[in-house]
Amino acid sequence: MVADRETLETSLGYAFKNPELLDQALTHRSAARLHNERLEFLGDAILDMVIAEKLFQRYPEATEGELSRMRANLVNGDILADIATELGLGQFLRLGAGERKSGGKRRASILANVVEALIAAIYLESGLAAAAGVVSRWFGERLTASEIRRPRKDAKTRLQELLQARGMPLPAYNVTGIAGEAHDQTFTVTCEVSLLGAPLTGSGKSKRMAEQDAARRVLAALETSA
């Protein structure tokens, strides 16, 4: 376990003084009562502020609207999930049995959430400067990429445009499950495209979020098979 932690911390570029805080940041609510959702809440706010400040300093000519668009293009589930994949976080996640079996270690929403939780954990342990430092390293060239100035298209739109460009039928989305109480439901949705042999599944706190998660997974699968 110590070796695993050292491997993870090398990837993160940060060594935790409190291993329990690191464990909490990596723990999904399906695995334990002490999980990362509160850290995720805090990390989301810290990330928004850090990215906003970096954009404000880096683009002095940008308007408020342009800065807001750039921040939205950087602070979103797709980008955070990509960062989590680059850092190799999936192998370190603590998930319940159901989430493990359903591919939770590859689910974009879970990966994005753990990035935010880790930012919060670093902030709580070492302060804002340390948290801002890891954000800068993790985002890297994304902070200066020209694409962040362009309006961002969501995963469903990108998938639809990709299939239309290839002359293929549009994706079919189907709700296959709704779990939890009325105030805290999780939706499960499949996305089927003719280019893949079987539909892929996404989940989220709303039907729309689940569809976006499923579309992201289909896009990733199509990129892998290309």
Side-chain angles (χ1 to χ4, degrees):
M1 180 61 73
V2 173
D4 288 344
R5 187 169 72 245
E6 290 177 352
T7 299
L8 172 59
E9 290 175 339
T10 298
S11 179
L12 296 177
Y14 179 85
F16 276 86
K17 307 174 188 68
N18 181 354
E20 288 77 16
L21 188 59
L22 172 59
D23 287 343
Q24 182 181 352
L26 296 170
T27 301
H28 187 261
R29 66 174 182 173
S30 63
R33 293 182 64 182
L34 185 61
H35 51 72
N36 63 9
E37 286 189 351
R38 283 173 54 85
L39 290 174
E40 173 201 338
F41 165 80
L42 179 59
D44 176 67
I46 295 167
L47 180 60
D48 264 356
M49 190 274 289
V50 169
I51 293 295
E53 181 182 13
K54 291 186 180 300
L55 293 174
F56 183 85
Q57 294 174 344
R58 191 179 295 272
Y59 300 99
E61 80 291 354
T63 66
E64 183 272 341
E66 290 171 333
L67 289 170
S68 295
R69 180 168 63 248
M70 287 190 281
R71 182 175 63 181
N73 285 342
L74 286 168
V75 184
N76 63 73
D78 289 343
I79 295 295
L80 294 179
D82 287 346
I83 289 172
T85 300
E86 292 166 6
L87 294 173
L89 298 184
Q91 62 182 310
F92 299 103
L93 296 181
R94 298 177 62 196
L95 303 171
E99 285 292 348
R100 287 198 304 273
K101 291 179 180 177
S102 64
K105 289 189 176 184
R106 298 183 302 276
R107 185 163 299 135
S109 57
I110 292 177
L111 290 170
N113 291 345
V114 80
V115 171
E116 292 177 335
L118 284 165
I119 291 170
I122 293 169
Y123 165 78
L124 290 173
E125 185 174 85
S126 297
L128 184 58
V134 297
V135 168
S136 293
R137 287 194 296 275
W138 296 353
F139 276 79
E141 295 180 355
R142 292 180 177 91
L143 289 167
T144 57
S146 60
E147 288 79 4
I148 67 172
R149 288 179 174 267
R150 301 172 187 167
R152 177 176 173 263
K153 297 177 181 179
D154 63 29
K156 287 184 65 177
T157 301
R158 288 186 283 123
L159 177 58
Q160 178 174 318
E161 291 180 350
L162 173 64
L163 294 175
Q164 288 175 327
R166 298 186 183 183
M168 307 299 294
L170 294 181
Y173 297 93
N174 293 291
V175 177
T176 58
I178 303 175
E181 302 294 331
H183 67 282
D184 187 25
Q185 292 182 325
T186 297
F187 290 76
T188 301
V189 169
T190 59
C191 177
E192 184 174 4
V193 298
S194 57
L195 291 174
L196 296 178
L200 296 181
T201 302
S203 65
K205 292 300 182 182
S206 68
K207 178 183 174 184
R208 181 187 65 81
M209 293 175 67
E211 289 176 344
Q212 293 289 353
D213 188 38
R216 280 192 291 267
R217 298 189 69 182
V218 169
L219 283 167
L222 291 176
E223 290 172 2
T224 301
S225 63

